[in-house]
């Protein structure tokens, strides 16, 4: 079974530029999560989708971050414009079904973003 | 909002010694999950605890969930070099969809 795919793996941009990350969850997984992991910290949930609907985006900085999952499969996370403090690893995870979050989450390899 | 504290932040042990990391939540949890992240890798699910006072074992790893469902621990017996990594607990509050991760405990094992 293929795991969660993410691209790109690394991205370096200058502040005020925009960037987009892509995630393809495990086939059949209804729930998709985007996390931000700053160096030395645990992952922080940015947004959670159940199919193509948003379940939780309370910690998403909506003035600069946006995410979509139009067909309930792939998802993109965008930052526009980027700030220095956005430097982090952006992790995508998926789980089989439950929006409740009690289902096992499978993480992708992440995208390491460096903002200069 | 919900906070999950984890201690210690770092732990260096000699191979063969035991290791324990502790997790404490500011609110009562519906469940707690444990993940392991190898250096340069992504978090990998280890286990989920749901019941008050629950104890689960996976080979040399023992996981406990407190009676009040606010704290948890992970104990590794006789550490091996393959145990190296950062161990995260992640708690879900009652009635919440969100999983809140602790800052993790980074384990180093000296051969």
């Amino acid at each position: 079974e293929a795991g969660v795919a993410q691209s790109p793996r690394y991205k370096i941009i200058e502040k005020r530029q925009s960037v987009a990350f892509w995630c393809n969850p495990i086939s059949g997984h209804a729930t998709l999560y985007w996390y931000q992991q700053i160096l030395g910290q645990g992952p922080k949930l940015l947004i959670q989708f159940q199919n193509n609907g948003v379940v939780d985006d309370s910690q998403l900085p909506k003035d600069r971050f946006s995410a979509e999952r139009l067909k309930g499969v792939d998802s993109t996370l965008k930052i526009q414009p980027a700030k220095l403090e956005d430097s982090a690893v952006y992790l995508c995870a998926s789980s089989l079904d439950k929006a409740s979050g009690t289902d096992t989450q499978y993480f992708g390899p992440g995208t390491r973003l460096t903002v200069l | 909002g919900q906070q999950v504290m984890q201690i210690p932040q770092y732990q260096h042990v000699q191979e063969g010694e035991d290791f324990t990391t502790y997790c404490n939540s500011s609110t009562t949890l519906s469940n707690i999950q444990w993940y392991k992240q190898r250096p340069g890798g992504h978090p990998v699910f280890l286990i989920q605890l749901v019941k008050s006072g629950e104890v689960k074992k996976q080979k040399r790893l023992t996981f406990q969930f407190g009676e009040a469902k606010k704290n948890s621990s992970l104990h590794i017996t006789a550490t091996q070099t393959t145990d190296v990594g950062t161990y995260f607990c992640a708690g879900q509050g009652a009635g919440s969809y969100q999983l809140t991760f602790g800052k993790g405990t980074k384990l180093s094992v000296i051969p």
Side-chain angles (χ1 to χ4, degrees), chain A residues 9 35 37 40-43 45 48 55-56 58-59 91 99-105 107-109, chain B residues 9 30-31 33 35 37 40-45 48 88 92 96-104:
Chain A
R9 292 295 310 278
Y35 288 89
Q37 186 174 23
Q41 297 186 20
L45 181 68
Q48 178 181 340
V55 172
D56 187 333
S58 57
Q59 299 193 104
L91 295 161
S100 65
T102 58
D103 221 1
T104 300
Q105 295 187 25
F107 284 82
Chain B
Q9 193 173 356
S30 63
N31 70 85
Q33 301 178 18
Y35 291 79
Q37 187 170 25
H42 56 275
V44 175
F45 175 82
Q48 178 177 275
F88 292 98
Q92 186 181 19
S96 169
Y97 293 121
Q98 202 175 102
L99 202 60
T100 301
F101 280 76
K103 288 191 173 183

Side-chain angles (χ1 to χ4, degrees), chain A residues 37-50:
Chain A
Q37 186 174 23
I38 291 171
L39 187 64
Q41 297 186 20
K44 172 188 156 187
L45 181 68
L46 294 175
I47 190 166
Q48 178 181 340
F49 292 95
Q50 174 78 357

